[in-house]
Amino acid sequence: MARLKCDPLEVQRALDVLLDPGQVVEIRVLESLREGRGGLKDTLSGFFDKKHHGDLVEAMGAVGEAAGFYWTLNPVHPGLLARSHNRLKRAGKGSATGDREVQCRRWLPVDLDPCRPAGISATEEEKAHAFSLADRIEADLTSEGWPAPVRIDSGNGTHLLFRVDLPGADGGLVERCLKALDSRYSSEVVKVDTSNFNPSRIFKLPGTPACKGDDTPDRPHRMSRLLKVPNPLVPVPLELLEFLAAQVVEGAGGKILEQTSPEGRFDVETWLQRHGLAFQTAKPYQGGQIWVLEDCPWRPGDGETAFVIQRE
């Protein structure tokens, strides 16, 4: 359980800079321990509008202990305010935001968490590995034309939030982007979390504690916080999102299918031919090769463009 109290100034800063004007946000508090409940733990939920962020911060400050404080990054239907109007209450069935209740997507969230046993905080060394990978991903993507992301210290790792302008039902674009980043960057040390693709996904709210397991000297509980917010916040162009999403082609079971050449390299053209994917001649691309497919394997017949890239 959390011993650190929320930082109201940091919470307010996150609300001010990451939410759109008029945006309604759900706050969810996991494993809240409240007086009068005989040690029972509740999940709390509440919906708040921009005019009542002060009430939000006050309500969070009244929570004694909790396993985590989370929020919906993307704008939710304003009618959800009626579920718990600018207050936190015990969450019941159907009280949480559903994917269909998200109005649009404003963020592509890249969550980098160091690999370690479940249910414990990260060591400083493990956390440093996540920050190092975040530096690498940001450098690579910005070199390809992506705007700079918001950087967040999540307590045990880091989040890169790239601004986007997408519908809630995005045809799987965000999911494919995360899988492409996973295939490019994940290792046995740090993973790109590919589960954060649905629009109603909740994330740790900056200014609140990360409290997995017991608070020990080598695996302490820490406060999450904003590290960097670009000004202005510029959405990633759609063509760059599609370009990234097209860099992973999956087979059955979500596995990347492999086809090696006699030299031991992945043989892209043989792989494409084997799976019936017609393509144009390969062209040089950033020190590697790019194949433009004649039809998108995810949205056939829609006129969408898809690519396969091989990096040296």
Side-chain angles (χ1 to χ4, degrees):
M1 299 293 287
R3 294 181 181 177
L4 297 172
K5 296 291 288 184
C6 296
D7 180 344
L9 293 179
E10 186 67 13
V11 171
Q12 187 66 62
R13 179 177 175 232
L15 296 170
D16 289 344
V17 302
L18 297 182
L19 299 185
D20 291 343
Q23 179 174 337
V24 172
V25 61
E26 180 192 353
I27 299 297
R28 210 173 303 167
V29 186
L30 304 185
E31 296 185 26
S32 168
L33 184 62
R34 295 186 294 166
E35 294 182 3
R37 291 283 292 157
L40 296 177
K41 301 174 184 177
D42 294 328
T43 294
L44 307 179
S45 176
F47 293 84
F48 296 82
D49 58 30
K50 191 84 171 182
K51 295 180 180 179
H52 292 84
H53 284 176
D55 295 336
L56 186 161
V57 174
E58 182 178 350
M60 290 175 56
V63 175
E65 292 185 347
F69 298 78
Y70 296 83
W71 65 341
T72 50
L73 283 173
N74 294 312
V76 306
H77 192 288
L80 298 190
L81 274 172
R83 288 182 179 171
S84 184
H85 192 260
N86 293 302
R87 66 188 181 99
L88 290 174
K89 70 177 185 180
R90 185 182 179 190
K93 184 178 180 181
S95 61
T97 304
D99 285 344
R100 294 184 179 180
E101 295 163 338
V102 173
Q103 293 184 305
C104 57
R105 295 178 186 259
R106 287 289 177 259
W107 301 101
L108 168 64
V110 181
D111 182 2
L112 303 173
D113 216 23
C115 300
R116 63 194 189 280
I120 60 175
S121 298
T123 65
E124 289 300 325
E125 181 180 6
E126 289 168 343
K127 185 178 176 183
H129 288 311
F131 273 64
S132 178
L133 183 58
D135 291 340
R136 179 183 167 199
I137 292 175
E138 180 176 355
D140 287 351
L141 293 181
T142 53
S143 73
E144 296 173 12
W146 285 53
V150 173
R151 293 281 295 263
I152 294 176
D153 180 341
S154 64
N156 292 309
T158 185
H159 297 159
L160 300 177
L161 302 183
F162 291 94
R163 188 74 168 180
V164 297
D165 186 7
L166 297 171
D170 68 341
L173 180 59
V174 166
E175 181 177 15
R176 297 195 302 274
C177 284
L178 293 177
K179 288 182 177 179
L181 292 173
D182 174 52
S183 66
R184 282 174 62 173
Y185 295 107
S186 287
S187 68
E188 295 306 311
V189 178
V190 182
K191 298 288 187 184
V192 176
D193 192 338
T194 59
S195 67
N196 294 324
F197 61 85
N198 60 307
S200 64
R201 178 69 59 165
I202 55 174
F203 287 84
K204 182 166 293 298
L205 175 58
T208 66
C211 302
K212 290 187 176 180
D214 287 342
D215 184 11
T216 66
D218 60 331
R219 296 185 180 277
H221 293 169
R222 306 178 183 90
M223 192 69 73
S224 59
R225 59 194 178 95
L226 287 170
L227 297 176
K228 181 182 71 172
V229 180
N231 188 16
L233 284 167
V234 180
V236 181
L238 180 60
E239 58 268 24
L240 291 180
L241 294 170
E242 292 175 338
F243 190 74
L244 172 64
Q247 292 179 30
V248 57
V249 179
E250 298 178 327
K255 301 295 184 181
I256 299 176
L257 304 179
E258 297 186 0
Q259 177 71 39
T260 57
S261 68
E263 294 78 21
R265 298 178 71 249
F266 185 88
D267 190 331
V268 174
E269 293 193 4
T270 299
W271 187 91
L272 291 172
Q273 291 168 353
R274 190 177 73 182
H275 295 283
L277 297 172
F279 59 91
Q280 301 176 19
T281 304
K283 299 182 291 185
Y285 174 77
Q286 294 190 358
Q289 298 286 319
I290 181 172
W291 288 260
V292 180
L293 304 186
E294 292 185 0
D295 199 8
C296 176
W298 301 284
R299 300 175 66 179
D302 284 358
E304 301 288 344
T305 302
F307 311 87
V308 175
I309 296 172
Q310 185 175 55
R311 299 181 183 274
E312 296 298 329

